[in-house]
Amino acid sequence: MPTLVYLEDHEGELVKGSLGVLTKAAQLGGDVAAVVCGSGVQGLAAQAGRYGAARVYVADDPALVAPLPQPRVDVLEALVRERGFDTVLFGASVLATDVAAGLAARLPAGLNWDLVDLEVRDGKLVGRRPALQDSVYADVGWKGEPRLALVRSGTFEPVEGGGEAEVEELAVQTQDFSRQAVMLERAHAESEGPSIEDADVIVAGGRGLGSPDKFGLLEELAQALGGAVAATRAVVDAGWYPYATQVGQTGKTVSPKLYFACGISGAIQHKVGMQASGTIVAINKDPNAPIFEYADVGVVGDLHQIVPKLTELVRERRT
Amino acid sequence: MRLAVCVKEVPEASARTRIDPGTLRLDRGGAATLNPFDAHALEEALRIKERTGEGEVVAVMMAPLPAADSLRKALAIGADRAVHVADDALAGSDLVATARTLAKAVEREEPDLILLGQQGGDSDGAVLWSALADLLRLPVVSQAASLELAEGKVAVKRQTEYGYDLIEAPLPCIVAVSDAINEPRYPSLKGIMGAKKKPHETLNAADLGLGADEIGEAGSRTEVYALADPPSRGDSVRIEGDGAAAEKVVEYLTERKLI
């Protein structure tokens, strides 16, 4: 089973999610190679060896400077076709998801996404995919090769094995249409605001707050609990709260001991960023909100009434 | 300016959705609606048309015939025309088979801009735009938190794990919008009445020149083997009403020494 793992990099580091997928691929066995795409990324190849890649392909080209998917599809297509990989694995991210889907169409190949496990069963690769708001798990597979898989972020932990990879540089050729989208400004990690990744308690708010000023209610509760305030993508995009506090697929992945989800419906993009939390308390007025499917305590009610009362009770206990 | 919006139908949020144990496909027999994420793509198309003062918005859907109601909703909201690709042979299409079908349907419209929502409300898939872009050989930008159109180009603020990027692409191109990009309008009574008179074309696979081996199960390379229950999170507690909710939460957390 020659397997290729797509490794994503950001600011000179390989992304943890893709290293986790590489670790898993090495555990599953067979020939495991990895590919790094970018400009000035040769130095990252050695790192990939430590996580289980026997060989690392490096596509280093100015066309790959910006983290855009289409030139990467060109690189992966050539690699898969020329070297005969039968399996290509991705750790889900904004970039990797777009690369995987473009590659599926290009080859063509079957793509299974949002996988939370991978195993080889009777010589066959089988993925496990939650469906219907994670209320059911499906065992999914592929008809024919190559097989493409996107693994849900945070699923596999990277483990260093200490090996050394053979590094091979690739000649990069990209198609005209792949170079048409250009990046004018690139995001930088924002450092302002409190770090939510280290907090034991997180009080998070979503669109159900109703207006940006209502974050004040959450700040008071967070302060009483000695925790931090977080937000969903919807309210961050709307400018209600800083990006640095965003939890979810395109934000931070957190695992506090206690997580309050206030006015958060709990769509899958949010869930993947906080499902590892110890205890989840959800407050939402919609009894059908998906968040209740995975909350330990689900409160169907008005957060504008309940949160201030909670703050008051917590303060009373602390004094 | 022609704007194509790809839409799909998904089960109502309140409906009890299930996967048919026989076919291992989503049971689409229950109450269904226009994918809420697609409403944001449609809204963005309507706003572009309103801003530029000219243009046509075409809603394109691949779905079984009964989904025509959801497409009519897109017309009621404001789309000028609807194209519905319906064919029993499409059942069981995976990502690539679906993208092939939509690529053919969208290509016929020769759109300047193709918009999609951020994900399927049923499959949680966020993959279609990139597959579609590859088949149509068009530039694609996803996760658009905002979109500006000027001088034959789109400028998109894309949200990633690291913040916001600014990406520019020439028309024609494909943009997948986030659900934070706008607040979709509701259909007006006038819109609902008017929708019945708007062009609503229904096509099958042969109309699009799609071969039987390109679509449906035959054209798909993924499969579902079995279904299982998710791992349990343990017992969860449900508290209804505002009355003593806060007290009950504090009691629960105190018992577990969490506060």
Side-chain angles (χ1 to χ4, degrees):
Chain A
M1 197 177 81
T3 299
L4 181 67
V5 177
Y6 171 76
L7 296 178
E8 187 173 344
D9 66 291
H10 179 71
E11 293 182 346
E13 298 276 339
L14 290 171
V15 169
K16 194 179 158 201
S18 55
L19 289 174
V21 173
L22 177 56
T23 299
K24 183 66 185 182
Q27 287 164 358
L28 290 174
D31 301 333
V32 179
V35 58
V36 185
C37 302
S39 186
V41 290
Q42 290 95 339
L44 296 172
Q47 200 186 341
R50 295 202 296 274
Y51 293 90
R55 177 180 284 262
V56 182
Y57 298 97
V58 179
D60 202 287
D61 193 272
L64 300 166
V65 175
L68 293 173
Q70 292 174 299
R72 286 166 171 76
V73 174
D74 297 332
V75 171
L76 268 72
E77 181 205 8
L79 195 52
V80 170
R81 285 198 201 283
E82 285 161 23
R83 316 292 164 122
F85 288 104
D86 59 31
T87 306
V88 189
L89 305 178
F90 299 83
S93 69
V94 167
L95 178 63
T97 301
D98 285 356
V99 175
L103 185 64
R106 180 77 62 88
L107 288 170
L111 170 64
N112 281 306
W113 60 86
D114 206 20
L115 302 184
V116 295
D117 203 5
L118 274 171
E119 61 173 317
V120 177
R121 210 184 282 166
D122 305 325
K124 225 162 56 163
L125 187 67
V126 178
R128 179 148 277 208
R129 199 197 132 186
L132 304 178
Q133 259 82 41
D134 294 3
S135 62
V136 58
Y137 274 41
D139 283 347
V140 295
W142 292 261
K143 292 190 284 187
E145 293 162 355
R147 302 174 278 244
L148 271 49
L150 270 162
V151 175
R152 185 183 280 192
S153 60
T155 297
F156 301 124
E157 276 297 310
V159 180
E160 277 195 65
E164 201 167 309
E166 200 180 315
V167 177
E168 184 178 333
E169 296 225 12
L170 298 173
V172 175
Q173 274 189 313
T174 55
Q175 308 210 21
D176 286 345
F177 80 95
S178 301
R179 294 190 304 267
Q180 288 188 334
V182 293
M183 186 158 297
L184 302 181
E185 275 171 43
R186 184 162 174 182
H188 295 281
E190 293 181 33
S191 53
E192 83 258 27
S195 169
I196 55 170
E197 282 154 308
D198 306 324
D200 280 337
V201 178
I202 288 178
V203 182
R207 228 196 278 255
L209 283 174
S211 61
D213 56 300
K214 295 297 191 300
F215 265 97
L217 299 177
L218 307 190
E219 285 162 0
E220 283 176 32
L221 177 59
Q223 198 183 21
L225 290 161
V229 174
T232 64
R233 172 172 182 171
V235 297
V236 169
D237 268 349
W240 292 11
Y241 224 62
Y243 173 74
T245 66
Q246 183 180 316
V247 167
Q249 200 148 30
T250 56
K252 299 212 162 61
T253 300
V254 297
S255 50
K257 293 192 180 86
L258 178 57
Y259 189 95
F260 283 88
C262 307
I264 293 175
S265 68
I268 207 77
Q269 315 97 285
H270 186 71
K271 180 178 180 182
V272 298
M274 48 66 82
Q275 60 187 344
S277 301
T279 298
I280 298 170
V281 179
I283 307 170
N284 201 303
K285 65 180 194 309
D286 175 9
N288 295 315
I291 189 94
F292 290 128
E293 301 288 330
Y294 52 95
D296 299 287
V297 183
V299 184
V300 182
D302 180 8
L303 70 93
H304 302 97
Q305 307 293 321
I306 296 163
V307 172
K309 184 75 189 160
L310 270 172
T311 307
E312 190 189 315
L313 292 169
V314 171
R315 278 187 188 143
E316 275 171 21
R317 289 189 49 81
R318 294 234 156 168
T319 49
Chain B
M1 182 89 189
R2 184 170 288 162
L3 300 129
V5 183
C6 294
V7 298
K8 77 178 293 191
E9 185 181 77
V10 298
E12 282 270 14
S14 58
R16 197 94 197 116
T17 49
R18 60 171 210 128
I19 292 176
D20 185 318
T23 62
L24 297 177
R25 293 180 196 154
L26 181 64
D27 179 357
R28 296 193 181 272
T33 187
L34 187 68
N35 177 24
F37 293 99
D38 297 341
H40 296 274
L42 178 58
E43 176 66 33
E44 202 58 25
L46 296 173
R47 289 185 189 191
I48 291 168
K49 183 187 159 185
E50 285 159 6
R51 272 205 303 270
T52 56
E54 53 100 29
E56 187 188 33
V57 177
V58 188
V60 181
M61 172 186 267
M62 164 184 148
L65 280 174
D69 285 346
S70 290
L71 200 47
R72 207 164 290 121
K73 187 178 171 193
L75 292 172
I77 292 169
D80 299 298
R81 240 163 14 87
V83 175
H84 187 171
V85 186
D87 199 316
D88 290 343
L90 292 167
S93 291
D94 73 351
L95 166 68
V96 175
T98 302
R100 272 188 197 122
T101 308
L102 280 170
K104 293 277 189 194
V106 166
E107 205 168 26
R108 281 170 89 244
E109 303 300 329
E110 298 180 6
D112 300 292
L113 182 61
I114 301 161
L115 294 167
L116 290 91
Q118 151 184 305
Q119 70 186 81
D122 48 359
S123 63
D124 291 326
V127 285
L128 187 61
W129 52 80
S130 193
L132 192 61
D134 202 80
L135 295 175
L136 293 172
R137 303 178 68 80
L138 291 177
V140 63
V141 188
S142 65
Q143 306 290 348
S146 75
L147 186 166
E148 306 271 343
L149 201 65
E151 294 164 10
K153 286 177 182 171
V154 287
V156 171
K157 208 170 113 184
R158 173 180 83 160
Q159 197 195 82
T160 71
E161 294 81 357
Y162 313 106
Y164 295 96
D165 297 322
L166 185 62
I167 298 166
E168 190 179 76
L171 300 178
C173 67
I174 298 181
V175 179
V177 305
S178 99
D179 60 344
I181 194 167
N182 56 39
E183 207 50 63
R185 69 194 72 182
Y186 291 98
S188 64
L189 188 59
K190 188 166 159 260
I192 293 166
M193 301 308 289
K196 293 176 185 135
K197 297 191 198 85
K198 288 180 176 172
H200 190 145
E201 191 179 9
T202 305
L203 302 170
N204 62 29
D207 294 331
L208 295 173
L210 288 160
D213 58 342
E214 294 178 279
I215 53 169
E217 276 193 5
S220 296
R221 289 159 188 254
T222 56
E223 55 190 338
V224 179
Y225 300 130
L227 299 176
D229 288 328
S232 171
R233 257 197 84 90
D235 292 334
S236 66
V237 179
R238 185 88 153 195
I239 301 167
E240 309 263 350
D242 306 335
E247 284 82 355
K248 286 178 191 160
V249 171
V250 169
E251 196 180 314
Y252 177 98
L253 298 176
T254 308
E255 276 171 17
R256 284 158 186 81
K257 299 193 166 53
L258 285 160
I259 52 175

